[in-house]
Amino acid sequence: MKEFNWKGVDLNLLVAFQALYRAKSVSLAAEQCHVSQSAMSHTLQRMRTLFDDPLFERVGIKMEPTRYAQEIAPTIDLLLGCIKNDLLSKKHFSPDDYSGVWKIGLTDYAEQLFAPQIYDAIKQHSPNAQVSFYNVNRSNYLEIAENEKLDAIIGSIENLNRRFLCEHLYTEQHLCLFDPQSVAFDLPLTLEQFVKVEHALVSPDGSLKTQVDKLLAKRGLERRVGVASRHFLTIRRLLIGRELVCIIPKRFAELELYSHTLAAVAAPIEVPDFDIRLLYFKSNQYEEKSVWIRKLISQIVK
């Protein structure tokens, strides 16, 4: 099929057609379009060429539309209305009126901590909306964000793709989490006690070694990692009733203290902090809907 040639198509011709159709006068149409009468006459000639029809014929003092002009007039009205109202008129976002789906990507850690609060806040301000949480990590966040058109992403994600901007939410520290009914530690926890107990790891990539093992090796020490999981809830269940200890982000550890019988103490070795960020597409940075959800998330997390 031959590709359509758009070269002669000019939106101004449709505007002029609408003015002529309504005014039935070249001079009045020219006035409405803020052009000279001769310019409007020239535009009429261009319209006739584009549509291959006279379009308007002089009857007395009026320019009466041809039958073809009468047929296409409703379509032209519809097109110009869509361009004006849907394309060129920016609609202000109102969370109260929004009935779509909020799509938010969270790392496993961020989902456990913040998903319920984010849901409650969204439903409070946007009661007709739905919320969909997507599990993301450092390796898949870009693909999921593009495919699902995520509104925001929360988590510890470094080496940011250039299509994204980010806001720093807070810096996370660490604690050692364990079941005091199964593991007996003398406090403060020493390195010797720390390495004697088998360890559980939260490992996004399934690795059984972290920077902690490198720090221990520098001191001539080694720990035994018995199990690793990508999910915080799995690690929490593993700790209950077992001789295991796990280095956990502080906020998550403190959450567990309120809801379970686990205990948390400071680690006897420096564990590198990490930043929790709010990511969003650079192309959405000024969009009112995007600004609103980012502000809401920032207030909740901070």
Side-chain angles (χ1 to χ4, degrees):
M1 184 181 294
K2 186 178 180 181
E3 188 175 344
F4 183 79
N5 182 9
W6 291 92
K7 186 176 180 180
V9 180
D10 182 347
L11 179 62
N12 290 311
L13 297 181
L14 303 186
V15 176
F17 175 94
Q18 190 181 67
L20 274 167
Y21 190 85
R22 292 175 178 177
K24 296 184 178 180
S25 163
V26 173
S27 58
L28 289 177
E31 223 175 284
Q32 292 177 18
C33 294
H34 306 288
V35 297
S36 65
Q37 185 170 336
S38 61
M40 181 57 70
S41 297
H42 177 68
T43 299
L44 176 58
Q45 293 304 319
R46 290 179 60 202
M47 277 192 282
R48 286 168 170 165
T49 301
L50 177 65
F51 290 105
D52 192 23
D53 188 87
L55 295 177
F56 299 95
E57 296 176 325
R58 185 171 296 281
V59 179
I61 61 172
K62 290 185 177 182
M63 295 294 289
E64 294 290 347
T66 64
R67 177 170 295 185
Y68 182 66
Q70 293 176 45
E71 289 176 358
I72 65 174
T75 301
I76 291 175
D77 284 343
L78 179 63
L79 286 172
L80 293 178
C82 287
I83 292 170
K84 177 184 176 182
N85 299 318
D86 298 335
L87 187 62
L88 300 181
S89 295
K90 190 174 181 180
K91 296 179 181 178
H92 290 289
F93 174 74
S94 171
D96 289 337
D97 301 328
Y98 185 61
S99 58
V101 181
W102 291 103
K103 298 182 177 183
I104 302 173
L106 304 102
T107 58
D108 184 58
Y109 157 83
E111 186 167 0
Q112 303 309 320
L113 284 182
F114 305 119
Q117 298 173 60
I118 291 172
Y119 170 78
D120 289 341
I122 287 176
K123 294 300 287 185
Q124 179 184 352
H125 298 285
S126 190
N128 298 316
Q130 295 175 291
V131 183
S132 185
F133 293 122
Y134 293 79
N135 186 265
V136 300
N137 56 49
R138 296 176 185 181
S139 61
N140 70 8
Y141 79 94
L142 176 59
E143 180 183 0
I144 294 177
E146 288 179 335
N147 292 341
E148 303 298 337
K149 296 180 172 56
L150 299 187
D151 294 299
I153 297 172
I154 310 166
S156 174
I157 297 177
E158 300 171 352
N159 301 320
L160 205 61
N161 182 276
R162 64 183 181 179
R163 293 184 60 192
F164 287 84
L165 294 175
C166 73
E167 175 187 346
H168 177 267
L169 296 175
Y170 67 95
T171 299
E172 181 64 284
Q173 299 174 319
H174 295 83
L175 291 173
C176 289
L177 194 67
F178 61 97
D179 184 350
Q181 303 299 317
S182 304
V183 180
F185 282 143
D186 295 327
L187 301 180
L189 180 62
T190 64
L191 271 175
E192 288 70 22
Q193 294 181 86
F194 179 75
V195 297
K196 281 182 180 179
V197 179
E198 198 163 57
H199 286 244
L201 284 186
V202 178
S203 176
D205 59 3
S207 173
L208 293 172
K209 286 187 179 294
T210 69
Q211 293 185 35
V212 171
D213 297 282
K214 295 178 182 179
L215 293 172
L216 288 172
K218 289 181 180 180
R219 302 192 183 195
L221 298 171
E222 185 179 2
R223 66 173 176 172
R224 173 172 169 74
V225 176
V227 61
S229 173
R230 291 169 173 80
H231 303 293
F232 281 86
L233 288 183
T234 301
I235 292 296
R236 185 252 286 165
R237 293 183 65 186
L238 284 167
L239 292 178
I240 298 173
R242 294 178 176 85
E243 291 186 38
L244 287 169
V245 64
C246 184
I247 295 177
I248 291 284
K250 185 177 179 181
R251 282 204 183 189
F252 184 81
E254 291 173 342
L255 179 68
E256 292 301 309
L257 301 185
Y258 292 113
S259 53
H260 298 92
T261 58
L262 299 176
V265 297
I269 190 168
E270 282 193 17
V271 182
D273 299 338
F274 62 93
D275 293 330
I276 297 299
R277 297 172 172 175
L278 170 61
L279 280 58
Y280 53 95
F281 280 113
K282 191 181 295 185
S283 57
N284 294 340
Q285 62 179 311
Y286 301 117
E287 184 187 51
E288 288 187 11
K289 176 172 174 278
S290 178
V291 171
W292 185 85
I293 192 64
R294 283 163 17 215
K295 183 177 179 181
L296 184 74
I297 291 172
S298 181
Q299 290 173 344
I300 292 169
V301 174
K302 289 182 177 179

